[in-house]
Amino acid sequence: MPNEQTPLLARHPSAMDAREGRRQTVATVVILVVLTLERLAYYALATNFFLFLNKGPWDGPQAWDSLDAMNAVFVLAGVSYISALLGGYISDACLGRFKTMVCGFLLYITGYILLTLMAVDKLPRFICPASRDPGGADDANNAPCKAAVYISVTIVGLGVGTVKSNIAPFGAEQLNTANPQRTRSFFNWFYWCINLGSLVGVCVITYIQQDCPGVCVNGFFCGYLIASVCLLVALVVFVAVMPCYQVAVPEGSVLGNIARIFWEALTAQFKHWRHPQPVSSISPLRLEPRFLDRAKIRYGGSFHESAVDDVRSLGRLLAVFIALIPYWLVYFQMETSFQAQGLHMRFSVHGEDFGNNSESLDDNLGKKFSVPAAWLTLFNQLFLIGAIPVLTTFLYPVLDRAGIRLSMLFRIGIGMVFSILAVMVAGGLESYRIFLWRTDNSTHIEQIVGNVTYHAVDISIFWQVPQYVLVGAAELFASIAGLEFAYSAAPRTFQGMIMGLFYTLEGVGSLLGTALLHLVSPFWLANTTDYGNINDNHLDFYLYFLGVLQITTFLAYCGSLYMQRFSLRPIAMPRHRSRTRRRIQRQGLLQEEDEEAEEDQDGDEEDEDENENEGQEERRNTMDRYYRYHPVL
């Protein structure tokens, strides 16, 4: 007879499970909605910020020139990526994920308010001087409100990085489970929401900013105002559902412990090299302690086993993140070389080209539709929005029921293969385009975008769709699995910092792509007289080079996984009795037992098989413990 004082939920575990399930559902759905609104706001700014600085409220001679505007865009992207590491560290060390995300959203909204006021030139004059006045402070450098712009984008970038590094681990924590299927499903939907938000931001908000439809006299003001409201709604909803969250307490900074573990292991290693001596406490497998193991208590150090293992897992995580850098090089081609290639292909759906003759252009306005090169990225996003639900709800469950589970590292490898295909297809298309330009003058057309004339080839820009879709397929595996790996394989003590490191190295991939472009430009992109013409260059060689770089990284990645999978070998395991007896017999030490050994051969073989199976099971269990922070294929 249950005690009448016992709470109802305690007497009915199913009711507790139902309540916990509802809490998890509400928390994760709200976080995904917040993510969608945040990504919408980011892409509403990042996609058109260059155009805003070229136009905005400073039409005419006071508009920003291209170099200044490009630098501001780079500052926005750079701060967004680098601050992710800082945001992850703050959440792990002192504030926790919830408070850190609230602070990030407040920074985000503050920066957007400044940009919204800037769009109608309503900032106070001590922040943004009257730049239109002749001889004003900004007149000489053609960059009005430079200080206000850089302050705004820095504040927005800090907010973006802070939110980005914490929202994924915070959402995954709400599941309160070690079930890899549920974690995989969450990150699939997480990436789906990223693409949904970016799709709306690119299609809807940027259209409002450029075309000023309906009541919007100032399109940028309307676009920034809508994005600001979306961020405010996201913050209000995020805070309102706080009782449903499972909020972890920050455990303090781990950077000091990491440094002390490395220092202690280094000093112990030097002592071992100078005065080698057997280790008093060795493992059952009789393995020589590795570098960081010397900081463990059982090897004479002062740190617990788990603390040292956490630091070791950081090295494995960093190795995987570095292996992804060539993948990010390919990924960012959608915003650089793919667009440059598209600008030299036919925009028009019906085949008419944009010539310099304004009369023919007016005659054709009603007959054709011009496809902006940047819109091709929408095929990438649409592919992901359609493919992620198929994988999450159909393909992965079918494979799981069949006993086939694709590990995170295996999916990253699949993504690398698709990125190789994407850049090779793009290179092949560019080779064909250059071949037509050099051999068939009838395919030459001219297209005007802004004030730049592009000498293009009369092949449809839609031939680029396969390479954008292949990049989407690479994201489907590598990007999602990378996010999941950064969360699942990271120790709890610095999970936010690891997620921030993941995004920071993504930004490093973008910067390395820029550096690589400058490095190869004297050989393959040497046309410096006409920046709107790549027909005399070899952009295809650059794309092939990226493909070869990704192939090399993929092979090294596979080799590393193979070596890690099979590198754990016992050094001094005792041999089986039957094998020992046969070895001694071959040495002539048991000649008198030859007849007995022959009679017992069958029994010995059975014992050997049994012992071999037991040994294999023991090694599997040991490897499972060894790889608990590093999933294998």
Side-chain angles (χ1 to χ4, degrees), residues 20 23-24 28 171-177 182-183 186 246:
E20 175 65 13
R23 184 202 66 78
Q24 293 180 7
T28 52
E173 283 176 355
Q174 306 311 310
L175 298 175
N176 194 24
T177 180
R182 295 193 65 188
T183 303
F186 170 78
Q246 179 173 331

Side-chain angles (χ1 to χ4, degrees), residues 13-34:
S14 59
M16 294 181 64
D17 293 341
R19 182 177 180 180
E20 175 65 13
R22 288 193 297 270
R23 184 202 66 78
Q24 293 180 7
T25 301
V26 171
T28 52
V29 168
V30 166
I31 289 172
L32 292 178
V33 170
V34 168

